[in-house]
Each structure stands twice: as structure tokens, then as C-alpha cells.
Amino acid sequence: MLMSPRLKALAASAALSLGLHSGLLQAQDDSGGAAADGASSSGEEAAPSAAPVKPRPSELLVRAPQRAALDIVNTGKHLVAVGERGHILVSNNGVDWAQVAVPVRATLNALTFVDEQNGWAVGHDATILRTTDGGKTWHLQNFEPEKEQAFLDVLFVDAQTGYAVGAFGLFYGTTDGGDNWAEIEAPTVREEELYFHSITKLGDGSLLVAGETGMLGVSTPDRASFKRLTSPYEGTFFGSLPYKEKGAIVFGLRGNVYVSDDVKLGNWQKLETNTIASFFGGSLLADGRALLVGSSGAAYVIDPAAKTAEAIATGLSFSLTSGLQFKNGVLVSGERGPHLIASQLN
């Protein structure tokens, strides 16, 4: 699923929110950006129907660090960010960013690392990329533009076992580091072909998938099967974070955040954020709290134990899709690239 159909599918409920975690870029392309530079709406060169579409390498641009960056991680050695038109950026300090060569021009929505060297990035055209040198170089593991679907999140539980989820129930898995990917058979969560916006490993090893119309699904601890959970919210969830051994923090549209000690038992408690800003991404802090970021530069520190939410002044007015604690501040990424915020997390 390409970003444009995703935007159209959910525009009524989340026009801007979809514009970002996996979609602002394609919305811009639809308005004329792609036509101007000869690219298709997915960022790939158009081809006759009889011939397969071949990936084109991402262009190296001076202003790449100012373009949309949809996800960002700290590998423990370097910072890596991914975003529109196959852009991947690396940094040591969160301020100075360098673009690296990437073999595909499709927008990249998410990435994950299992250690300082091994990481994966996913995006449009069912793209999956791998690095084995900390993000300096990348090679293509999966590319299926004919699916017209996008991967929206990726998770590896170890260097061999990983999962990628996305539009219309797209759900792939690998047991050999991504050399081979296959669809995950999980009919209870895939049958409605809903968008999976995130996949998270919980404390007991279970996997939690979250998505549109309140979709929440959880696996057994051995990840052999999945079941649909009763959701506390009918709107879209954009992400989740593990909490305690069996619980999670889930977040999404219009400032909605819910916390449960055990997702299989339910008992979800709504956390009052006093904001209507949609939350698109987040990460756990060292002390167990969570950092959530979203529309119009919103950033909040969530304390799941105390059930409190505290706003952080970012000084940014554009939407943010990812955030993490870095040194003495907060590193965020979004519509206008990565930004290091000099904000203390009390």
C-alpha cells in the first residue's frame, strides 16, 4: 500500500496525522512534487505493466537533513534517521547529519537496530533494507512495488527473528536475518485488512500490534499465534510501548493514551493528557517513563505508574513522528528533519 491510498483511507479521521508517520510525503507528491521530478507517487520510476519496476537509488541532496524524517534511533554508537525518498541520515551528535547511499527511492517509515551494527529499515513498495555496519551502507532485502503497500513498522527480537507490519494487514516475518521473508499467518488480526501502525515486543516476549479503528492484537509469548484484543478506543492507534511484564502504553489520535498492566486481561486506563494533539511516536526513558511526540510539535512525558502527562516545550510548530532521550536533551524527528531540543527531562 502506498502512502497516498493510506492517506485517502484515513483522511476523514486523521488527515495530518497520516500525513506524517507514513504519509505526509506522499501527500506532497500527490500535489505535484513527484510529477515535477519525474518520479511516481511511490518515489519509484514508472514502468510498463509488462516489465517489473526496478528500484532506483535515493538521490544525495544537500538539504536532505531538512526534509521529513519519519523515524530515528540511537544504535548506541550512532544516530540513524530515515524518511522521504529513501533518505537515510547518520549523526554522532544529533546536530550534524550526513546522508548515506541507499539503493531505493521509496519513502522509509521506520527502522530498528538489535545492536550497534545490525539494523533494518522499512517503507513504501514493501521495501525492507538491512545494514550490518551501523547504518553506513544498506542493501535491499525486499521490494514489491506491485503490491502497492507500505510497511509502517519493523521489529527484530534478535539478529535473526524479525517482523514488519503495514497497510491493509501487511505482516511479514523472517527467521534468518531478513534473507528470506514470508507472510505471517495471523487471521484473527489480519482478516479485516486494517492498517498496522506499530509492532512492539512486550516484557514477556509477546508481540503487540496496534493500528486503525482501535486495532490491538497480541501473540502468545512464543509468538506462535495471535488473538484480537478488546480495545478501549475506536480511533487509530499509531504506536505502543511495553510496560511492566505483560502491559503496554498505547497512543494515537487526539491525545488518546491508554495504559494496562496486562494487555490480555484488558483493564485499560485512560491517561488524561489535556491535549487534542495526536501522538505519532515515542520511546521509553531510562526511568521507565515514556516520551510521546505528535502533531504541531507536541511532546509529552508520560508516567504510566502515576498516570500523569507533562508537556515539554519544543519550540517547534510542525508535526513530530519520533522522539528519544539523547544526552541532556530530547532528539525528535518529523516533518522538517531531526532536531535536538535542549530540554531537561525532570
Side-chain angles (χ1 to χ4, degrees):
M1 172 65 183
L2 299 180
M3 201 171 298
S4 298
R6 177 180 186 233
L7 187 64
K8 294 173 183 176
L10 297 180
S13 62
L16 178 58
S17 56
L18 286 180
L20 278 165
H21 180 264
S22 67
L24 163 73
L25 321 169
Q26 215 60 64
Q28 294 172 338
D29 286 348
D30 288 346
S31 67
D37 64 7
S40 71
S41 63
S42 67
E44 296 302 324
E45 185 177 18
S49 57
V53 177
K54 296 182 179 180
R56 294 195 302 164
S58 181
E59 295 179 288
L60 297 178
L61 303 175
V62 173
R63 293 185 58 81
Q66 285 78 53
R67 305 293 291 269
L70 301 179
D71 198 12
I72 190 168
V73 300
N74 185 348
T75 70
K77 187 175 183 180
H78 301 292
L79 299 166
V80 183
V82 299
E84 66 172 314
R85 298 187 181 277
H87 291 172
I88 296 183
L89 310 170
V90 296
S91 174
N92 292 324
N93 57 17
V95 177
D96 303 302
W97 294 85
Q99 186 182 6
V100 300
V102 177
V104 68
R105 197 170 295 191
T107 291
L108 302 173
N109 296 317
L111 75 164
T112 187
F113 276 75
V114 294
D115 53 42
E116 292 182 354
Q117 301 299 321
N118 293 284
W120 291 260
V122 300
H124 289 197
D125 295 333
T127 295
I128 304 176
L129 298 164
R130 182 176 184 180
T131 180
T132 57
D133 57 9
K136 297 177 184 177
T137 61
W138 297 80
H139 69 269
L140 193 60
Q141 289 191 322
N142 196 77
F143 179 69
E144 299 175 273
E146 67 278 3
K147 280 186 172 291
E148 296 188 342
Q149 289 179 283
F151 284 117
L152 304 178
D153 200 14
V154 58
L155 168 72
F156 269 73
V157 298
D158 56 49
Q160 299 300 313
T161 308
Y163 305 87
V165 298
F168 289 131
L170 191 62
F171 199 164
Y172 277 21
T174 180
T175 57
D176 57 12
D179 290 337
N180 295 281
W181 292 85
E183 291 199 47
I184 296 293
E185 297 295 331
T188 56
V189 295
R190 296 186 66 192
E191 60 186 357
E192 293 184 59
E193 297 187 342
L194 299 173
Y195 280 78
F196 298 138
H197 291 290
S198 72
I199 181 166
T200 303
K201 179 184 175 183
L202 303 184
D204 66 353
S206 301
L207 303 180
L208 178 69
V209 292
E212 66 175 319
T213 66
M215 157 57 73
L216 291 174
V218 68
S219 78
T220 52
D222 62 3
R223 301 181 288 278
S225 63
F226 282 78
K227 72 173 184 178
R228 182 79 175 264
L229 298 176
T230 299
S231 178
Y233 177 55
E234 295 182 354
T236 295
F237 288 122
F238 288 109
S240 63
L241 297 168
Y243 178 55
K244 296 184 176 180
E245 182 182 3
K246 299 179 180 181
I249 306 165
V250 294
F251 52 88
L253 286 175
R254 299 184 63 81
N256 277 280
V257 179
Y258 293 84
V259 180
S260 173
D261 290 343
D262 189 328
V263 300
K264 295 175 183 177
L265 295 179
N267 300 322
W268 294 97
Q269 297 183 50
K270 184 174 183 179
L271 196 154
E272 295 301 330
T273 60
N274 296 314
T275 180
I276 60 171
S278 295
F279 291 119
F280 303 133
S283 62
L284 292 177
L285 303 177
D287 60 7
R289 294 179 300 167
L291 171 68
L292 302 184
V293 298
S295 58
S296 302
Y300 281 72
V301 172
I302 303 298
D303 188 331
K307 305 298 186 294
T308 59
E310 181 181 356
I312 297 175
T314 65
L316 304 175
S317 60
F318 54 87
S319 288
L320 307 175
T321 55
S322 182
L324 53 85
Q325 186 174 10
F326 182 65
K327 295 184 178 180
N328 295 324
V330 175
L331 182 62
V332 298
S333 64
E335 185 179 357
R336 298 179 187 174
H339 287 261
L340 183 60
I341 309 300
S343 176
Q344 298 292 328
L345 296 176
N346 298 322

